[in-house]
Each structure stands twice: as C-alpha cells, then as structure tokens.
Amino acid sequence: MKNNESGMEIRDPSRRKILGGAAALAGTGLTLSLTGCGAASDGKGAAATGAAAKAAGGGAGHFEVPPGKLDDYYILSSGGHSGEVRILGCPSGRTIKRIPVFNIDPMVGWGITNESKAIIGTRPDGQLKYWTGDTHHVHGSYTDGTYDGKRFWVNDKLHSRVARIRGDTFEVDRITELPNVQGHHGIFTDKRDPVDSSVNHTTRVFAGAEFHIPLPNDGHDMDKPEAYGCLFSCLDAETMEVRWQCRVDGNMDLVATSYDGKYAASNQYNVEGGIHYEDMMSAEHDACVFFDIARIEAAIKAGKYATVGDSKVPVVDGRKAANGDAATALTCYVPVPKNPHGVNASPDGKYFVCSGKLSPTCSVIDLSLVEKWFAGEIKNARDAVVAEPNLGLGPLHTGFDGRGNAYTTLFLDSKIVKWNVDAAIKQFKGDKSVKVVVDSIDVHYQPGHGFTSMGETKNPDGKFFNSGNKFSKDRFLPVGPLHVETEQLIDISGDKMVLVHDHTAYPEPHDAIIVAADVIKTRQIYSLDEFPNAVSAQTAGVERNGNKVHVRLTSQAPAYSLREFTVKKGDIVTITLTNLDKVEDLTHGFGIPKYNINFIVNPQETKSVTFVADKPGVYWCYCTHFCHALHLEMRTRMVVEG
C-alpha cells in the first residue's frame, strides 16, 4: 500500500506484487518465473503503473473521459459464445452497444421479429435454423488501405457463418452460411480488388475453416482421413454470396490480407491432416499458406474446379501436392514452427507475422519473397521467412504502431512485448548487436488477442494497445465461479508502455479492432421509406383473411394507434409496428405477456412479428422501452376469443 498525492491509499496493481514474482499458469498448477526482458519497471520488478506511469508521461488520469466528453475511438469486439458483437468506447472502456448477431436478443427483438429471422435463417416450420453462435473476429471495410466505416464483418465459428454489420446503424443486414465447412475461425476483408487495380476498396471477404471434415460430410468416409479436408472461402462483400472455395492442407486459424489486394494468408496447424491429437504433431513445421487470388479466380474462369456435395460453389485444389509448379501454383505454403497462432500484416505492406504459440518466436514473412516464389524465382518457400525473434513464452497475436514496432501477446508469460521488426530482420541475418525487444509489460492474466489503435490499416496511430486477457482472478469483485475477462488498455505512444486501466468483458470475447471515431458516420433516425411495410395513420387497422390476421399499428409517445384488437384462438397473427416519432433516442417497445414476443422499434423504424394466438383471454401489449412520462400507460389490449 502507498498514498497518492491526495493522501488516499492506493494499491499497486502489478501482478508481480500480488503473486510475489510468479504467475500461476491457469489450469496447470504450475508456476513460471516471469522476470521480463526490458520491462517498464519501477525498479522493484513491478510494471510501470500509478506514480511510475505518470513519471513516464502517462497514467490513467491522463486518459479519463469525463462526463459530457466522447471517446476518441470505437472498439468493435467479438462476444464469443454469446454470439454477439460489442462496441466499447476507447479510452474509457465503456460498453456502448451490444449487437445481436447469431443469438436471440429479447430487448431489440433479434431472432423474434420476422425481419431478423429472415436474416438469421429459418427452418421450413419458421423456427430459427440456429439460435446459438460463437463470434471470434471482427474486421471492417477499407478504402485506400484504411477503414471507411461503411461495413464490418464477423464470423460464427460454431455454425460456419459470416455476418455483415452496417456501419451507420451497427445492425446486421446479411448472414451467409458457408457450405462444407466446420469450425470457421478466421476472417479478413481484402483491402482493394485483387484483379481490377482501379478498385481501391473492399470487394471480398475471406474465411478460413479450422476443422477437417469429410468432403462432402454426408455420412460417408467418416473413417477415412484421406477424405477429410478444409476449405478456404471467398465471399462477395456486396452480395454476401460465396464466390469460391479452395481446398488446403492443414487446419486454418486466422486470416490476413495484403494491402495490394493480391494475397490472402492463413496460419495453419495440423498440416499432417490428422484426426487425433497424436496424428497432428509428426511434421517438423506447420505453415502459413498464401493464396494468389487472381490465379484462383482465373482457374475458376477457365473451368478448372470441382464442386462438393450439393453445393454449386466452385472449389479449386490448393493442396501442396497439386501446386508443385510455382509458375501455376494457387497456393504457397511457408513453413513456420509447429502450432502457430495468429497472422497479421504489417501496415507498410511488407510483412506478415505468424506467432509461434508453442514456439517462443514470431516468424516474419517477407511478402515480396512470397511473390518471388510464385514467380519461380526462389525455390524454397521457407526462404520467405526473414526473421524469427525469440520473444517469450506463448506468443499469440501481433499489432503494430506505425513506427516500425510490433506488439505481441505472450499467453504463458502474461506479458505484452514490444519489439522492432527491422532489428529482428538484422538479427536474423547475423547482427548480434541489435536490440530486438525494446519493452514489455505485465498483464492480468494470459493475454489472447491484442490490437493497436487503427493497427489493421496502413496508418496506425501508435496510441493504444488493448490486451484481451483470458483470466481475471483477483482483478474484480468475486461473483462466483465464472469470472469476467479483463481488457487492459495500454498507452504505447512513448518509449515505455504504460497501463492506463482495466475494464471488464463478459465472457468470452476474442479479437477486436480499434477504429477512430471520426471514421464512422452513424445515423440516429431511420426513414419511413426504407420499410416497404411501414404503417401510417391511414393504413393502421386490423385485416382478416381466413385465419390469418394482420394487425397494423403505429406508435407515437405515449400511445399505440389501436386501443385494442380482437383475434380468435388458432389465428395466425402478424403484428406490424411503425414508430412515427422523429425524436432521437425515442425508442418504443412492444411486449405481449405469455407469447414470447418482445421487440423495439427505433424512430421511424418498422418491425413485425408473427405468432399463433393459442391462448384465449386478455393480454395487455405494452411498451417495454421507456419513452415518455406516461410510459406505463402506453399499451393496447389483445383479446383472444376462445
């Protein structure tokens, strides 16, 4: 304990102080000595925080976002097995919005309204095809190598889907299920068109499959590993249709794309194609596989493809054995240490960095040498690796600051390490005098994904690094066995990294991006003409067609247009509701007791629900979203005659 300048007692938040110089490895019962290399320190082994951080030119107070002020950035983060995407403010860490994507959300009515069901997808009986999901990676659309704020995409690892989110409303407008894929893990958008150089914006979204499955997975060949495979998918950013797929060796993890649009890449484990753990560890190396997009699309245009099962999507063969001739190869497998995790493109467009996970190294791959391999100018793809610095235990993900430095999460060491890419290349060439690791900082605990502000663009601003930590024991008030996760914001603007603050994340987020606030242009009110089924004062009312009843309602605080409506038991009822209010933030809700109906309509928005009136009686449909001083009185009566 010590006192701050006001005399208030404060705690040293360093893990080194709490655990006496060693951090417990979660789930193993082991401990490691975690004395860092080049750590920002107070001279006693503790990371630079509190007074030491202020002396270094930072500190949490410096980044406080006081009442009435807005954050400088949006953080768009996956929600993991909640199936959602979350928006946080940066640097405050405040949660601003939870976007339902692959889940059901009774507040907004996602998965309940007819409109959202049509996007998620339904079975023939009208029920949702899936009501669970597992979001992992969020990436945005680009113009000229940087975010344009128009669209964002997120994957569903659980059911192999890709969702598109509008940047003006932060709501999902399309979801596509990938054929013949399981464990769809990594995605990334292209940064410009790979074929038409005049198109300098996102046109494609790439998706890597992690799990080998029989192709097709129709109950045959389940005990034949040679029939198993993984497909790399390309979606059209505009239509969200799957353009093509490429069969590969190995299980794909994450995806990255080049700034010139020519290449996509995925780090891989299990290049052996094994089904069981012991079958996945025999090869000396795994790989980072590069896809030549123009060649793949030329091959498809020439008819050099097959299809799998009932899918009509063209599938090309990108396996190593089928691509021995570099002059015509569709893929290039660059060997890297076993079980890599994460691949990230440097903002200068020169390098792709694969983290070692089980190896304490990161592999720096020179994209110009990959291009030379495709041109037949170098024989061994391993020669494209130009650096492999030893960074520490458990490297997973890497971000960049635009000043030549990379920031890598060390899962086992519970650290973020800052290292210089050019120095790593020099060291790899034999220069033993260079200092590759320039700083490190403790995090709490076991960081997975980490990302820098605007770091996935050609112009990262080098201000913040966010560490997404998988364990948070001792960081927050205990609430039982399930702990929240810890997101820690780090100031990287100076020579030393400085911890700014912790904020919580409900389990279990994965990757995220930090986007400058001025990039995104949101709208606060819809337009009635966006909704073909919008209800007006003239069209409001009840219409019956046999046992199908359509109730058209409007809402305007504090009343619905109909005081009551009557249906019969067994009727198939559709309620369409339009919010006629034009005031920003004046949202209405609509809930029906005992009928599993609840949703909202934002200003000038229209939504509808369809259900069977199977319970006779009186049901008060009421506004579930506070809207007016007479909010409690805002209701309409549904009478169901027996």
Side-chain angles (χ1 to χ4, degrees):
M1 296 286 190
K2 55 186 176 180
N3 295 338
N4 65 10
E5 296 172 359
S6 302
M8 188 177 83
E9 197 172 52
I10 60 173
R11 292 180 180 271
D12 185 337
S14 169
R15 172 172 52 84
R16 302 292 184 253
K17 293 293 185 182
I18 294 170
L19 298 180
L25 292 181
T28 66
L30 302 176
T31 61
L32 282 178
S33 174
L34 297 177
T35 53
C37 43
S41 172
D42 63 1
K44 300 177 182 178
T49 54
K54 291 182 180 179
H62 181 68
F63 299 104
E64 181 184 1
V65 182
K69 298 295 183 181
L70 302 181
D71 281 289
D72 296 322
Y73 302 88
Y74 292 92
I75 297 179
L76 281 86
S77 174
S78 71
H81 40 81
S82 70
E84 65 188 18
V85 168
R86 298 162 187 167
I87 303 177
L88 292 78
C90 178
S92 72
R94 297 181 292 220
T95 299
I96 302 172
K97 186 171 184 176
R98 296 169 58 185
I99 307 172
V101 184
F102 303 113
N103 55 324
I104 294 174
D105 186 343
M107 193 279 283
V108 302
W110 190 254
I112 297 171
T113 64
N114 295 329
E115 293 77 11
S116 61
K117 284 183 175 181
I119 294 172
I120 298 172
T122 57
R123 300 171 180 173
D125 64 359
Q127 299 301 308
L128 289 177
K129 187 175 182 181
Y130 310 109
W131 51 88
T132 56
D134 185 17
T135 57
H136 275 235
H137 301 102
V138 183
H139 292 290
S141 56
Y142 289 79
T143 296
D144 193 24
T146 194
Y147 298 130
D148 58 24
K150 295 178 181 178
R151 289 168 170 164
F152 300 90
W153 287 264
V154 67
N155 72 306
D156 171 22
K157 181 175 178 177
L158 189 61
H159 302 304
S160 303
R161 293 175 291 177
V162 179
R164 187 176 67 191
I165 298 170
R166 291 174 50 167
D168 62 343
T169 60
F170 283 130
E171 294 172 338
V172 176
D173 68 355
R174 289 291 297 273
I175 292 177
T176 299
E177 184 173 352
L178 305 176
N180 298 301
V181 166
Q182 274 188 29
H184 153 48
H185 191 180
I187 66 167
F188 216 106
T189 50
D190 69 2
K191 300 180 179 77
R192 65 182 303 151
D193 193 284
V195 178
D196 186 348
S197 60
S198 67
V199 179
N200 195 11
H201 60 259
T202 292
T203 58
R204 295 161 176 80
V205 181
F206 301 106
E210 187 175 356
F211 303 150
H212 275 77
I213 58 172
L215 296 175
N217 191 21
D218 58 2
H220 297 87
D221 299 327
M222 292 186 287
D223 294 321
K224 295 181 179 179
E226 65 273 14
Y228 283 48
C230 282
L231 300 180
F232 184 80
S233 302
C234 173
L235 291 85
D236 188 285
E238 189 65 35
T239 67
M240 288 290 287
E241 298 295 325
V242 182
R243 286 188 175 213
W244 50 261
Q245 294 178 305
C246 179
R247 186 171 180 175
V248 300
D249 301 312
N251 297 30
M252 288 171 283
D253 181 27
L254 300 203
V255 177
T257 59
S258 62
Y259 282 84
D260 62 8
K262 294 181 180 179
Y263 302 103
S266 179
N267 61 298
Q268 295 184 301
Y269 65 95
N270 188 28
V271 295
E272 302 90 341
I275 294 178
H276 301 107
Y277 169 79
E278 61 271 18
D279 303 323
M280 302 179 183
M281 302 301 292
S282 61
E284 182 179 355
H285 289 92
D286 278 313
C288 182
V289 57
F290 286 81
F291 302 86
D292 188 316
I293 309 305
R295 285 190 184 181
I296 289 174
E297 296 191 357
I300 292 170
K301 190 174 182 179
K304 298 177 181 179
Y305 66 86
T307 58
V308 177
D310 296 333
S311 170
K312 305 301 181 186
V313 174
V315 178
V316 296
D317 193 344
R319 288 173 290 182
K320 194 172 183 178
N323 290 270
D325 184 357
T328 59
L330 308 180
T331 55
C332 171
Y333 290 81
V334 178
V336 296
K338 289 293 290 179
N339 296 91
H341 190 78
V343 58
N344 300 92
S346 63
D348 58 11
K350 295 180 179 180
Y351 308 110
F352 279 50
V353 176
C354 275
S355 296
K357 192 171 75 171
L358 298 187
S359 169
T361 60
C362 279
S363 301
V364 181
I365 301 170
D366 188 326
L367 193 59
S368 68
L369 296 179
V370 173
E371 195 160 25
K372 285 186 176 182
W373 184 91
F374 275 113
E377 297 176 19
I378 62 173
K379 185 176 181 181
N380 190 346
R382 172 68 185 175
D383 292 340
V385 176
V386 295
E388 220 155 53
N390 190 324
L391 302 177
L393 299 179
L396 294 185
H397 299 282
T398 299
F400 303 91
D401 64 7
R403 300 187 295 270
N405 300 310
Y407 300 77
T408 298
T409 58
L410 301 181
F411 181 81
L412 295 180
D413 269 347
S414 288
K415 283 180 173 290
I416 308 303
V417 61
K418 174 182 177 180
W419 55 283
N420 186 269
V421 177
D422 287 340
I425 295 172
K426 291 177 181 178
Q427 182 190 67
F428 196 71
K429 291 179 179 179
D431 187 346
K432 297 181 180 179
S433 66
V434 296
K435 184 179 181 181
V436 176
V437 175
V438 295
D439 192 23
S440 67
I441 190 171
D442 297 337
V443 291
H444 310 77
Y445 308 92
Q446 276 71 54
H449 286 279
F451 38 93
T452 56
S453 47
M454 296 295 287
E456 298 278 13
T457 74
K458 71 177 185 180
N459 54 355
D461 58 26
K463 292 183 179 180
F464 294 110
F465 181 92
N466 191 93
S467 177
N469 308 323
K470 295 302 182 185
F471 300 94
S472 69
K473 46 189 176 290
D474 74 44
R475 300 306 291 174
F476 308 108
L477 284 172
V479 289
L482 178 64
H483 291 239
V484 294
E485 294 188 9
T486 316
E487 301 280 337
Q488 291 188 298
L489 189 67
I490 298 168
D491 174 14
I492 61 170
S493 61
D495 293 335
K496 295 289 186 181
M497 291 182 284
V498 178
L499 178 64
V500 175
H501 66 71
D502 298 3
H503 58 272
T504 61
Y506 187 75
E508 185 199 45
H510 291 269
D511 204 5
I513 55 177
I514 304 179
V515 183
D518 59 5
V519 169
I520 296 174
K521 309 299 182 185
T522 60
R523 47 196 301 218
Q524 310 310 120
I525 298 175
Y526 282 100
S527 175
L528 284 177
D529 58 17
E530 295 179 64
F531 305 96
N533 60 338
V535 182
S536 66
Q538 292 73 34
T539 59
V542 180
E543 178 184 346
R544 175 176 288 276
N545 184 6
N547 70 334
K548 295 182 179 179
V549 179
H550 196 162
V551 181
R552 295 182 177 87
L553 284 168
T554 64
S555 63
Q556 198 160 17
Y560 297 112
S561 57
L562 294 177
R563 297 187 179 206
E564 61 183 46
F565 57 94
T566 300
V567 297
K568 297 177 181 179
K569 181 181 177 182
D571 281 347
I572 301 172
V573 181
T574 296
I575 294 177
T576 301
L577 175 63
T578 297
N579 182 351
L580 295 181
D581 282 307
K582 298 180 180 179
V583 179
E584 179 180 333
D585 203 20
L586 212 170
T587 294
H588 295 302
F590 193 84
I592 307 178
K594 312 300 183 183
Y595 273 92
N596 265 333
I597 301 296
N598 190 24
F599 62 97
I600 61 168
V601 280
N602 293 299
Q604 301 286 287
E605 186 180 25
T606 299
K607 289 180 181 176
S608 64
V609 293
T610 299
F611 60 97
V612 177
D614 56 358
K615 293 176 284 293
V618 172
Y619 299 91
W620 288 100
C621 311
Y622 67 99
C623 180
T624 53
H625 204 92
F626 191 90
C627 61
H628 191 274
L630 294 176
H631 165 71
L632 292 180
E633 288 77 16
M634 186 170 176
R635 64 183 87 155
T636 183
R637 189 174 66 135
M638 180 175 74
V639 177
V640 182
E641 297 177 341

